[in-house]
Amino acid sequence: MREVVFTGAFLLLLLLLCGAADAATPEEDAAQVMVTGAVIDPAVLMPGDVATVTVTVKNTAQVSVPVRSAKMYTEGNILVLDNPYQTFGAIGAGNEVSFTFTVQADAGSGTYYPRLVLDFTNAGSLRYAVPVRIEVVEPRISVADVPDAFTAGKKEIVRVTVSNPRSGEVNGVSVVPSGEGIVSVPTSTFIGALAPDGSAEATFNITPDRETTLTMTVTYRNGRNQRTTEASIPITFSEDKKGARIVVSGVEVTPENGSYRVSGDVTNAGLEVAKAVVVTVGSPGVPVDPDRVYPVASLDPDDLSNFELTFRAENVTEVPLVIEYRDTDGNLYTTRTNISVEGTVLPGQGEEGGPVPLTIALLIVAVVAVVGVVVFFSWKKAKGG
């Protein structure tokens, strides 16, 4: 019996010793809480950007670990806008907990390290530095294609490229053209997300009605931050080197029934088709029937057509020959070429170029009448004698 009692006491003592050996201190339990990850959104900030920093920790201990607070500290380059974990409870055994803070970039380009501090109740603390990257560089706009010359009212294609030289992605990228007297089709283009070192193109049909500045505005988001950047393209008018160019040749002017008849050739010396070509004369010339205007229809590059017009003109030496045509977009163009009528005498005009004066005609009639009367009375007198 005494042997049995002794054996039981020995086993109980052994169990107590083993339990004492397995028990961990609060510091040892807290030491098993570790950071498993940190996420910054957006991944790369711009100066002034607001971001969230989320740090995830896991309790790998076998017991719950009390946490008095979780706070983030900085050195001023990253501003902490909120600290919502002034008090906390505990992290259960095997559990993960995420702590999210709102921060704002208040520095130039560089990497900064705000610190997460977990205060374990009576068991020390956990400190973890989170690297936060700030870059000043913005997405860039470059002109990929622009015409050599703009013309008032003529539609031209303008193509731009938007690139992202940043280390982080930007989202919601759109391009919007604008400017006084500018009509754009489409009015904007949505590109979407641009990955680091990514690029995308946007094409617009631009019609200016005056010389102005075309502004390409790129809007985008970096995380929750809405931003814009823009580029300017000067719009100046000059001769369209590729458009249609009408040349007049072989002009002949002849008088006809008190008016003039002019004939000649019109040639398209440009590189694009000239549509709806119409030839007439301008003031001080006055178009008259039967050929007031002469429609030529379309002239392809290097194509030629003849024309004939009739008009009146008085006391002038030249009149303008007016040629109107349209491009493939319907834009109207007008060119003028002066033709000379000097030295061309209309029927009924004297050598000096003017009509026979009325007084001279009346005088001739009067002389003829007097001569007639004299002849009559002389004949009558001779017959009576």
Side-chain angles (χ1 to χ4, degrees):
M1 182 67 180
R2 292 181 59 186
E3 293 179 352
V4 173
V5 172
F6 178 78
T7 302
F10 176 77
L11 292 175
L12 179 60
L13 178 61
L14 184 61
L15 290 174
L16 291 175
L17 290 175
C18 291
D22 290 340
T25 64
E27 290 78 3
E28 291 172 335
D29 291 335
Q32 297 190 51
V33 176
M34 61 186 63
V35 175
T36 58
V39 176
I40 300 97
D41 182 23
V44 182
L45 284 68
M46 295 181 185
D49 274 359
V50 174
T52 57
V53 178
T54 301
V55 182
T56 302
V57 299
K58 183 175 182 178
N59 178 13
T60 61
Q62 299 299 317
V63 295
S64 177
V65 175
V67 176
R68 176 180 291 139
S69 64
K71 297 180 181 179
M72 180 154 284
Y73 297 90
T74 71
E75 296 177 353
N77 37 43
I78 301 294
L79 304 179
V80 179
L81 301 182
D82 63 2
N83 250 317
Y85 311 102
Q86 298 292 330
T87 60
F88 200 75
I91 304 176
N95 290 347
E96 276 191 343
V97 176
S98 294
F99 300 95
T100 300
F101 304 88
T102 303
V103 300
Q104 184 174 26
D106 192 28
S109 294
T111 302
Y112 306 92
Y113 298 90
R115 300 179 306 281
L116 170 72
V117 177
L118 286 185
D119 184 3
F120 301 116
T121 306
N122 300 323
S125 62
L126 169 66
R127 297 172 180 270
Y128 182 79
V130 183
V132 176
R133 177 74 181 166
I134 300 177
E135 289 182 355
V136 176
V137 63
E138 292 187 322
R140 294 174 180 169
I141 313 168
S142 57
V143 178
D145 189 17
V146 66
D148 295 334
F150 285 93
T151 304
K154 184 178 181 182
K155 181 171 58 181
E156 298 286 0
I157 293 177
V158 175
R159 190 158 47 91
V160 297
T161 299
V162 183
S163 56
N164 179 20
R166 295 177 54 77
S167 301
E169 182 181 82
V170 292
N171 304 94
V173 181
S174 295
V175 184
V176 181
S178 62
E180 293 186 3
I182 293 290
V183 175
S184 173
V185 178
T187 55
S188 65
T189 294
F190 180 73
I191 293 176
L194 276 181
D197 294 329
S199 64
E201 287 188 351
T203 302
F204 301 93
N205 290 312
I206 301 296
T207 306
D209 67 4
R210 71 195 73 170
E211 292 190 336
T212 183
T213 298
L214 172 62
T215 302
M216 292 289 184
T217 302
V218 175
T219 61
Y220 63 96
R221 292 195 316 274
N222 189 38
R224 68 173 71 178
N225 307 281
Q226 187 71 42
R227 289 183 168 273
T228 62
T229 185
E230 60 185 34
S232 298
I233 302 172
I235 302 292
T236 56
F237 295 157
S238 60
E239 182 181 358
D240 187 357
K241 299 178 181 178
K242 296 182 179 179
R245 189 166 70 90
I246 303 299
V247 176
V248 179
S249 61
V251 175
E252 293 185 0
V253 180
T254 56
E256 182 179 279
N257 300 326
S259 60
Y260 293 101
R261 174 172 292 275
V262 58
S263 62
D265 300 321
V266 287
T267 303
N268 181 4
L271 300 179
E272 296 180 353
V273 63
K275 292 182 171 294
V277 182
V278 175
V279 185
T280 186
V281 296
S283 179
V286 179
V288 297
D289 290 330
D291 297 313
R292 291 174 174 269
V293 297
Y294 195 94
V296 180
S298 295
L299 281 177
D300 292 328
D302 298 328
D303 200 1
L304 174 147
S305 176
N306 54 28
F307 67 90
E308 286 191 350
L309 297 170
T310 50
F311 67 95
R312 292 188 63 85
E314 296 181 355
N315 302 322
V316 295
T317 58
E318 60 183 16
V319 296
L321 192 69
V322 181
I323 303 102
E324 294 182 343
Y325 62 96
R326 296 180 184 273
D327 61 17
T328 53
D329 295 321
N331 299 303
L332 179 64
Y333 300 88
T334 302
T335 63
R336 293 172 178 264
T337 301
N338 287 334
I339 55 175
S340 177
V341 295
E342 189 175 14
T344 305
V345 181
L346 288 175
Q349 291 182 330
E351 292 184 359
E352 298 299 327
V356 178
L358 180 60
T359 53
I360 296 177
L362 294 175
L363 181 60
I364 293 174
V365 172
V367 170
V368 172
V370 171
V371 172
V373 170
V374 172
V375 172
F376 174 76
F377 281 106
S378 298
W379 172 78
K380 188 174 181 180
K381 183 177 179 180
K383 185 178 180 180

